[in-house]
Amino acid sequence: MVIKVPTRELELAMLAKLQSDVGPEARLGGVDEVGRGALAGPVSVGIAVVDGTTPDEFPAGLRDSKMLSAGARERIVEQCRQWPVDLAVGHAGPEIVDRLGIIGALRAAAGAAYRQLAERGHAPDAILLDGTHDWWSAASLWDPGELPNLPVHTQVKGDANCAVVAAASVAAKVERDHLMSDLSQGYPRYDWAKNKGYSSPTHIEALSQLGPCQLHRQSWKLPGVGGKSSE
């Protein structure tokens, strides 16, 4: 299988327009999420920020995080953090998923990442968002959110095609995987160290025997659920 190599073509075009509209100091944020389809644990959002000073040469081996092995992601994650102007990852736990739904949780996680960037003086002026749905701007009466009103461009397979989104993808995946491995120590039967909270035979078997714990997304239709809740 040929794995697509991302480029900077789209992000550089967006940066050029931003610099024309905002000024030479304009910054673009590449955004990707991980954990959206998991049964347990947080949904996580990475934002990588680039500007006119960002080197054209991005980390060797950078790809969509889903196309890289865990070892390959670990080998390049620090380069993914060092290459852009800044990079931050935010998380929204299962209680937020249950309360706000997955879109509200994505916005909450993105808000946590955005605030880290803003505190360091690196808030982006526009967003390049992986996918087809602009959840960044999808505030509602129930989920007003705390995300700024920024121009958003959605890009199908942005994590595979755009270097800035791929960097955000790798960092978010690595950080969430570490978090799930740590959480697994308190709930070893669910095998989160291996499945990272996603559906797997061992995870479903544990759900059928133990029921969900407080770190599962209780509002979801969890497979295998039949036992009592394990708090």
Side-chain angles (χ1 to χ4, degrees):
M1 179 179 64
V2 177
I3 300 177
K4 185 174 179 59
V5 178
T7 74
R8 300 201 67 205
E9 183 178 353
L10 177 58
E11 66 197 64
L12 289 176
M14 291 183 66
L15 265 177
K17 185 177 187 308
L18 271 177
Q19 289 170 337
S20 175
D21 295 342
V22 177
E25 73 286 356
R27 292 181 289 264
L28 174 69
V31 180
D32 197 21
E33 48 81 14
V34 295
R36 183 170 186 161
L39 308 178
V43 65
S44 305
V45 173
I47 306 177
V49 178
V50 293
D51 67 7
T53 70
T54 303
D56 284 334
E57 187 175 346
F58 51 82
L62 178 61
R63 304 288 188 274
D64 170 8
S65 67
K66 297 185 293 296
M67 296 294 103
L68 297 173
S69 68
R73 291 192 295 267
E74 292 286 351
R75 286 192 292 273
I76 68 169
V77 67
E78 284 308 312
Q79 298 173 57
C80 289
R81 290 185 173 278
Q82 294 169 11
W83 168 63
V85 172
D86 204 347
L87 192 154
V89 179
H91 309 280
E95 73 286 353
I96 299 178
V97 176
D98 289 338
R99 179 164 54 89
L100 297 180
I102 192 62
I103 297 302
L106 285 171
R107 289 172 51 77
Y114 178 87
R115 287 190 292 276
Q116 295 176 54
L117 298 169
E119 288 170 3
R120 297 194 288 261
H122 297 145
D125 299 295
I127 297 298
L128 174 54
L129 182 63
D130 178 59
T132 59
H133 176 223
D134 177 12
W135 53 259
W136 183 282
S137 306
S140 70
L141 178 63
W142 300 274
D143 165 35
E146 299 180 2
L147 290 175
N149 183 20
L150 298 177
V152 175
H153 177 90
T154 58
Q155 177 62 39
V156 176
K157 297 188 181 301
D159 48 6
N161 293 304
C162 305
V164 66
V165 180
S169 171
V170 169
K173 175 64 173 168
V174 169
E175 192 164 315
R176 185 182 183 277
D177 281 0
H178 287 180
L179 180 58
M180 293 308 298
S181 294
D182 291 343
L183 291 173
S184 183
Q185 297 177 30
Y187 301 89
R189 291 280 298 277
Y190 297 110
D191 202 25
W192 293 337
K194 292 183 179 178
N195 61 53
K196 309 307 184 212
Y198 288 90
S199 181
S200 73
T202 53
H203 196 174
I204 294 172
E205 181 181 4
L207 278 167
S208 68
Q209 294 178 359
L210 304 175
C213 74
Q214 60 186 346
L215 296 177
H216 281 96
R217 299 174 184 179
Q218 306 277 350
S219 60
W220 288 30
K221 186 176 181 180
L222 299 170
V225 171
K228 63 182 180 181
S229 179
S230 174
E231 296 295 340

